[in-house]
Amino acid sequence: MALQALQSELAKIVVNRQKLDSQLQENELVHKEFEHLNDDTRVYKMIGPVLVPQDKEEAKANVEKRLEYINDEITRADQKVEQLSKEQEKASVELFKLQMDIQGINKNQ
C-alpha cells in the first residue's frame, strides 16, 4: 500500500477510535446511573423523537451489550492502528532508501 494511502487510512481509524472513546464514556456514564436507580424508577428509551417506556433490566442489559461491543471495536481499532503504523514505518524506510539511492545516482553523474 502506498505511503499516502496508509496515512489516510490511519487517520480515518484514529478518528473512528476517538468516536468510540466518546461512545464508551457516554455508555459508562449511563451504566453507572443504573446503579443509582430505585427498583420502581421508570426508564425510557428514545426512538427517534419519542421516549418509549422500557424495562429497567432490559435497558441495563442493552447498555452492557453496547459497552462490550464498543470495547471490542476499540480493541480492533487499536490492532489496526498498530498494524498500519508498522506498515507506514516500513514504507517510510523504503521511501528514504529510494531517496538516498536517487541522491547517490545524481552525485555520480
Side-chain angles (χ1 to χ4, degrees):
M1 194 179 277
L3 182 58
Q4 288 179 336
L6 285 170
Q7 291 170 335
S8 176
E9 186 171 349
L10 185 58
K12 288 178 189 175
I13 292 172
V14 168
V15 168
N16 187 40
R17 172 69 164 78
Q18 291 170 340
K19 289 178 185 176
L20 288 168
D21 275 336
S22 295
Q23 290 175 358
L24 180 65
Q25 290 174 358
E26 180 181 326
N27 281 278
E28 285 175 341
L29 181 65
V30 171
H31 190 260
K32 286 178 187 175
E33 287 298 319
F34 274 111
E35 295 171 10
H36 302 297
L37 296 178
N38 297 327
D39 291 336
D40 62 342
T41 303
R42 296 182 110 172
V43 177
Y44 295 89
K45 177 178 183 176
M46 184 172 276
I47 300 177
V50 180
L51 288 174
V52 178
Q54 186 175 25
D55 179 64
K56 179 182 158 191
E57 292 304 315
E58 180 184 346
K60 186 175 180 181
N62 286 341
V63 170
E64 289 170 354
K65 286 178 189 176
R66 243 189 336 264
L67 283 169
E68 184 179 325
Y69 172 78
I70 292 168
N71 281 314
D72 289 346
E73 287 298 308
I74 287 173
T75 300
R76 236 184 317 279
D78 288 344
Q79 291 170 346
K80 189 70 172 173
V81 165
E82 185 177 335
Q83 174 200 344
L84 289 174
S85 294
K86 287 178 183 177
E87 289 178 29
Q88 182 179 347
E89 180 66 27
K90 184 179 175 183
S92 294
V93 168
E94 289 177 22
L95 179 60
F96 179 74
K97 286 179 183 177
L98 285 172
Q99 288 172 335
M100 295 306 290
D101 288 346
I102 290 170
Q103 287 179 359
I105 291 172
N106 288 337
K107 285 181 182 178
N108 292 334
Q109 289 181 355

